[in-house]
Amino acid sequence: MASRTGRSAVGERAAALRAAQAALAAEHAAVYGYGVVGGRIGDDRLAEAREGYAAHRARRDDLARTVRGLDGSPEAAAPAYALPFAVPDAPAAVRLAAELENRVAAVYADLVRASTGSLRRQAAGALREAAVRAVRWRGGGVAFPGLTERAAPATPSASASGGADGV
């Protein structure tokens, strides 16, 4: 029984390391993406873009320490990242910022699932922060931030009221 518990702990640690590496990669991409956002965003939202950029840099640095703490070697940032769409102007920069936050929230949801203890609390906090930033950029929220399969538009409800409340 002791060896089974040992294998389970090793497997859990490996899963946490994989999820932390994925979150680190997402943070690298978010830092890059916010560089693009900052170059295209209007002056009215530039401070918000700078705050997002700084938040992702801080999370990236924390995750690099976390990966080392899990006996891993933090993955380096790529020299460049493919953007999900062209960003020629401020409205596209706002959409990109919201997309970056959605993607970061998704990997933090995976890290919450794969981790325990303080790492899980940190991942949940990062998920919450990304969801809040996404709401600010998008102007509205989703029911289950970080879970893309739940973020699809609501279909009409078969409730007695006949409304499409999506609940």
Side-chain angles (χ1 to χ4, degrees), residues 118-137:
S118 65
L119 179 54
R120 185 178 217 172
R121 283 188 295 280
Q122 291 170 0
L127 169 57
R128 181 187 67 246
E129 290 169 10
V132 168
R133 280 191 300 272
V135 166
R136 287 183 184 146
W137 285 114

PDB file of all heavy atoms in Angstrom, residues 118-137:
ATOM      1  N   SER A 118      -1.379  25.151  -1.470  1.00  0.00           N
ATOM      2  CA  SER A 118      -1.122  26.555  -1.804  1.00  0.00           C
ATOM      3  C   SER A 118      -1.048  26.784  -3.312  1.00  0.00           C
ATOM      4  O   SER A 118      -1.462  27.838  -3.800  1.00  0.00           O
ATOM      5  CB  SER A 118       0.149  27.049  -1.120  1.00  0.00           C
ATOM      6  OG  SER A 118       1.285  26.373  -1.621  1.00  0.00           O
ATOM      7  N   LEU A 119      -0.541  25.819  -4.069  1.00  0.00           N
ATOM      8  CA  LEU A 119      -0.499  25.976  -5.525  1.00  0.00           C
ATOM      9  C   LEU A 119      -1.914  26.064  -6.084  1.00  0.00           C
ATOM     10  O   LEU A 119      -2.188  26.876  -6.962  1.00  0.00           O
ATOM     11  CB  LEU A 119       0.279  24.827  -6.182  1.00  0.00           C
ATOM     12  CG  LEU A 119       0.376  24.868  -7.706  1.00  0.00           C
ATOM     13  CD1 LEU A 119       0.939  26.200  -8.204  1.00  0.00           C
ATOM     14  CD2 LEU A 119       1.213  23.702  -8.203  1.00  0.00           C
ATOM     15  N   ARG A 120      -2.803  25.271  -5.559  1.00  0.00           N
ATOM     16  CA  ARG A 120      -4.194  25.321  -6.011  1.00  0.00           C
ATOM     17  C   ARG A 120      -4.824  26.667  -5.680  1.00  0.00           C
ATOM     18  O   ARG A 120      -5.536  27.253  -6.501  1.00  0.00           O
ATOM     19  CB  ARG A 120      -4.992  24.192  -5.370  1.00  0.00           C
ATOM     20  CG  ARG A 120      -6.405  24.105  -5.882  1.00  0.00           C
ATOM     21  CD  ARG A 120      -7.132  22.949  -5.266  1.00  0.00           C
ATOM     22  NE  ARG A 120      -7.991  22.397  -6.282  1.00  0.00           N
ATOM     23  CZ  ARG A 120      -8.660  21.291  -6.147  1.00  0.00           C
ATOM     24  NH1 ARG A 120      -8.541  20.557  -5.069  1.00  0.00           N
ATOM     25  NH2 ARG A 120      -9.447  20.876  -7.104  1.00  0.00           N
ATOM     26  N   ARG A 121      -4.552  27.181  -4.486  1.00  0.00           N
ATOM     27  CA  ARG A 121      -5.087  28.504  -4.108  1.00  0.00           C
ATOM     28  C   ARG A 121      -4.527  29.593  -5.021  1.00  0.00           C
ATOM     29  O   ARG A 121      -5.251  30.487  -5.453  1.00  0.00           O
ATOM     30  CB  ARG A 121      -4.776  28.813  -2.648  1.00  0.00           C
ATOM     31  CG  ARG A 121      -5.676  28.078  -1.671  1.00  0.00           C
ATOM     32  CD  ARG A 121      -5.478  28.556  -0.242  1.00  0.00           C
ATOM     33  NE  ARG A 121      -4.149  28.266   0.269  1.00  0.00           N
ATOM     34  CZ  ARG A 121      -3.762  27.081   0.737  1.00  0.00           C
ATOM     35  NH1 ARG A 121      -4.605  26.072   0.766  1.00  0.00           N
ATOM     36  NH2 ARG A 121      -2.530  26.900   1.177  1.00  0.00           N
ATOM     37  N   GLN A 122      -3.244  29.523  -5.326  1.00  0.00           N
ATOM     38  CA  GLN A 122      -2.635  30.513  -6.229  1.00  0.00           C
ATOM     39  C   GLN A 122      -3.238  30.419  -7.622  1.00  0.00           C
ATOM     40  O   GLN A 122      -3.521  31.440  -8.254  1.00  0.00           O
ATOM     41  CB  GLN A 122      -1.119  30.298  -6.297  1.00  0.00           C
ATOM     42  CG  GLN A 122      -0.400  30.647  -5.020  1.00  0.00           C
ATOM     43  CD  GLN A 122       1.047  30.188  -5.035  1.00  0.00           C
ATOM     44  OE1 GLN A 122       1.544  29.602  -5.995  1.00  0.00           O
ATOM     45  NE2 GLN A 122       1.755  30.449  -3.943  1.00  0.00           N
ATOM     46  N   ALA A 123      -3.442  29.206  -8.099  1.00  0.00           N
ATOM     47  CA  ALA A 123      -4.034  29.026  -9.425  1.00  0.00           C
ATOM     48  C   ALA A 123      -5.467  29.546  -9.452  1.00  0.00           C
ATOM     49  O   ALA A 123      -5.882  30.185 -10.428  1.00  0.00           O
ATOM     50  CB  ALA A 123      -3.987  27.548  -9.829  1.00  0.00           C
ATOM     51  N   ALA A 124      -6.211  29.294  -8.400  1.00  0.00           N
ATOM     52  CA  ALA A 124      -7.586  29.798  -8.334  1.00  0.00           C
ATOM     53  C   ALA A 124      -7.596  31.324  -8.320  1.00  0.00           C
ATOM     54  O   ALA A 124      -8.441  31.956  -8.961  1.00  0.00           O
ATOM     55  CB  ALA A 124      -8.296  29.238  -7.105  1.00  0.00           C
ATOM     56  N   GLY A 125      -6.654  31.921  -7.607  1.00  0.00           N
ATOM     57  CA  GLY A 125      -6.552  33.378  -7.589  1.00  0.00           C
ATOM     58  C   GLY A 125      -6.211  33.929  -8.962  1.00  0.00           C
ATOM     59  O   GLY A 125      -6.773  34.937  -9.406  1.00  0.00           O
ATOM     60  N   ALA A 126      -5.302  33.269  -9.663  1.00  0.00           N
ATOM     61  CA  ALA A 126      -4.922  33.705 -11.009  1.00  0.00           C
ATOM     62  C   ALA A 126      -6.097  33.543 -11.974  1.00  0.00           C
ATOM     63  O   ALA A 126      -6.319  34.397 -12.837  1.00  0.00           O
ATOM     64  CB  ALA A 126      -3.711  32.916 -11.498  1.00  0.00           C
ATOM     65  N   LEU A 127      -6.847  32.457 -11.831  1.00  0.00           N
ATOM     66  CA  LEU A 127      -8.042  32.241 -12.651  1.00  0.00           C
ATOM     67  C   LEU A 127      -9.040  33.372 -12.419  1.00  0.00           C
ATOM     68  O   LEU A 127      -9.575  33.950 -13.364  1.00  0.00           O
ATOM     69  CB  LEU A 127      -8.663  30.888 -12.318  1.00  0.00           C
ATOM     70  CG  LEU A 127     -10.059  30.587 -12.867  1.00  0.00           C
ATOM     71  CD1 LEU A 127     -10.116  30.712 -14.377  1.00  0.00           C
ATOM     72  CD2 LEU A 127     -10.500  29.203 -12.432  1.00  0.00           C
ATOM     73  N   ARG A 128      -9.269  33.709 -11.168  1.00  0.00           N
ATOM     74  CA  ARG A 128     -10.202  34.783 -10.834  1.00  0.00           C
ATOM     75  C   ARG A 128      -9.736  36.116 -11.435  1.00  0.00           C
ATOM     76  O   ARG A 128     -10.528  36.840 -12.047  1.00  0.00           O
ATOM     77  CB  ARG A 128     -10.342  34.914  -9.315  1.00  0.00           C
ATOM     78  CG  ARG A 128     -11.327  35.993  -8.885  1.00  0.00           C
ATOM     79  CD  ARG A 128     -11.337  36.227  -7.385  1.00  0.00           C
ATOM     80  NE  ARG A 128     -10.066  36.793  -6.970  1.00  0.00           N
ATOM     81  CZ  ARG A 128      -9.170  36.194  -6.191  1.00  0.00           C
ATOM     82  NH1 ARG A 128      -9.412  34.995  -5.711  1.00  0.00           N
ATOM     83  NH2 ARG A 128      -8.042  36.777  -5.879  1.00  0.00           N
ATOM     84  N   GLU A 129      -8.449  36.418 -11.288  1.00  0.00           N
ATOM     85  CA  GLU A 129      -7.921  37.680 -11.821  1.00  0.00           C
ATOM     86  C   GLU A 129      -8.064  37.744 -13.343  1.00  0.00           C
ATOM     87  O   GLU A 129      -8.442  38.789 -13.889  1.00  0.00           O
ATOM     88  CB  GLU A 129      -6.454  37.849 -11.428  1.00  0.00           C
ATOM     89  CG  GLU A 129      -6.254  38.110  -9.957  1.00  0.00           C
ATOM     90  CD  GLU A 129      -4.797  38.015  -9.532  1.00  0.00           C
ATOM     91  OE1 GLU A 129      -3.909  37.927 -10.417  1.00  0.00           O
ATOM     92  OE2 GLU A 129      -4.545  38.030  -8.317  1.00  0.00           O
ATOM     93  N   ALA A 130      -7.768  36.652 -14.026  1.00  0.00           N
ATOM     94  CA  ALA A 130      -7.906  36.628 -15.484  1.00  0.00           C
ATOM     95  C   ALA A 130      -9.367  36.793 -15.888  1.00  0.00           C
ATOM     96  O   ALA A 130      -9.674  37.514 -16.847  1.00  0.00           O
ATOM     97  CB  ALA A 130      -7.324  35.331 -16.059  1.00  0.00           C
ATOM     98  N   ALA A 131     -10.270  36.159 -15.165  1.00  0.00           N
ATOM     99  CA  ALA A 131     -11.698  36.278 -15.473  1.00  0.00           C
ATOM    100  C   ALA A 131     -12.177  37.715 -15.280  1.00  0.00           C
ATOM    101  O   ALA A 131     -12.945  38.228 -16.100  1.00  0.00           O
ATOM    102  CB  ALA A 131     -12.504  35.321 -14.592  1.00  0.00           C
ATOM    103  N   VAL A 132     -11.709  38.371 -14.239  1.00  0.00           N
ATOM    104  CA  VAL A 132     -12.097  39.763 -13.997  1.00  0.00           C
ATOM    105  C   VAL A 132     -11.554  40.662 -15.105  1.00  0.00           C
ATOM    106  O   VAL A 132     -12.269  41.525 -15.631  1.00  0.00           O
ATOM    107  CB  VAL A 132     -11.633  40.230 -12.599  1.00  0.00           C
ATOM    108  CG1 VAL A 132     -11.748  41.736 -12.442  1.00  0.00           C
ATOM    109  CG2 VAL A 132     -12.424  39.514 -11.509  1.00  0.00           C
ATOM    110  N   ARG A 133     -10.299  40.458 -15.480  1.00  0.00           N
ATOM    111  CA  ARG A 133      -9.745  41.266 -16.578  1.00  0.00           C
ATOM    112  C   ARG A 133     -10.498  41.002 -17.875  1.00  0.00           C
ATOM    113  O   ARG A 133     -10.776  41.935 -18.644  1.00  0.00           O
ATOM    114  CB  ARG A 133      -8.246  40.989 -16.755  1.00  0.00           C
ATOM    115  CG  ARG A 133      -7.374  41.725 -15.757  1.00  0.00           C
ATOM    116  CD  ARG A 133      -5.896  41.648 -16.121  1.00  0.00           C
ATOM    117  NE  ARG A 133      -5.405  40.285 -16.161  1.00  0.00           N
ATOM    118  CZ  ARG A 133      -4.911  39.631 -15.102  1.00  0.00           C
ATOM    119  NH1 ARG A 133      -4.826  40.223 -13.927  1.00  0.00           N
ATOM    120  NH2 ARG A 133      -4.487  38.392 -15.226  1.00  0.00           N
ATOM    121  N   ALA A 134     -10.860  39.756 -18.148  1.00  0.00           N
ATOM    122  CA  ALA A 134     -11.613  39.437 -19.362  1.00  0.00           C
ATOM    123  C   ALA A 134     -12.956  40.158 -19.370  1.00  0.00           C
ATOM    124  O   ALA A 134     -13.368  40.702 -20.395  1.00  0.00           O
ATOM    125  CB  ALA A 134     -11.818  37.922 -19.483  1.00  0.00           C
ATOM    126  N   VAL A 135     -13.626  40.187 -18.238  1.00  0.00           N
ATOM    127  CA  VAL A 135     -14.906  40.896 -18.138  1.00  0.00           C
ATOM    128  C   VAL A 135     -14.710  42.377 -18.427  1.00  0.00           C
ATOM    129  O   VAL A 135     -15.493  42.992 -19.153  1.00  0.00           O
ATOM    130  CB  VAL A 135     -15.550  40.688 -16.752  1.00  0.00           C
ATOM    131  CG1 VAL A 135     -16.686  41.672 -16.508  1.00  0.00           C
ATOM    132  CG2 VAL A 135     -16.043  39.262 -16.608  1.00  0.00           C
ATOM    133  N   ARG A 136     -13.670  42.946 -17.873  1.00  0.00           N
ATOM    134  CA  ARG A 136     -13.416  44.370 -18.121  1.00  0.00           C
ATOM    135  C   ARG A 136     -13.167  44.640 -19.604  1.00  0.00           C
ATOM    136  O   ARG A 136     -13.672  45.619 -20.148  1.00  0.00           O
ATOM    137  CB  ARG A 136     -12.235  44.838 -17.290  1.00  0.00           C
ATOM    138  CG  ARG A 136     -12.562  44.956 -15.825  1.00  0.00           C
ATOM    139  CD  ARG A 136     -11.385  45.483 -15.052  1.00  0.00           C
ATOM    140  NE  ARG A 136     -11.696  45.492 -13.630  1.00  0.00           N
ATOM    141  CZ  ARG A 136     -10.808  45.255 -12.688  1.00  0.00           C
ATOM    142  NH1 ARG A 136      -9.554  45.002 -12.994  1.00  0.00           N
ATOM    143  NH2 ARG A 136     -11.173  45.279 -11.428  1.00  0.00           N
ATOM    144  N   TRP A 137     -12.377  43.792 -20.235  1.00  0.00           N
ATOM    145  CA  TRP A 137     -12.091  44.004 -21.649  1.00  0.00           C
ATOM    146  C   TRP A 137     -13.327  43.756 -22.509  1.00  0.00           C
ATOM    147  O   TRP A 137     -13.600  44.489 -23.448  1.00  0.00           O
ATOM    148  CB  TRP A 137     -10.951  43.099 -22.115  1.00  0.00           C
ATOM    149  CG  TRP A 137      -9.605  43.541 -21.647  1.00  0.00           C
ATOM    150  CD1 TRP A 137      -8.788  42.877 -20.780  1.00  0.00           C
ATOM    151  CD2 TRP A 137      -8.894  44.728 -22.009  1.00  0.00           C
ATOM    152  NE1 TRP A 137      -7.621  43.581 -20.581  1.00  0.00           N
ATOM    153  CE2 TRP A 137      -7.662  44.727 -21.332  1.00  0.00           C
ATOM    154  CE3 TRP A 137      -9.187  45.798 -22.852  1.00  0.00           C
ATOM    155  CZ2 TRP A 137      -6.721  45.739 -21.466  1.00  0.00           C
ATOM    156  CZ3 TRP A 137      -8.245  46.814 -22.992  1.00  0.00           C
ATOM    157  CH2 TRP A 137      -7.031  46.776 -22.304  1.00  0.00           C
TER     158      TRP A 137
END
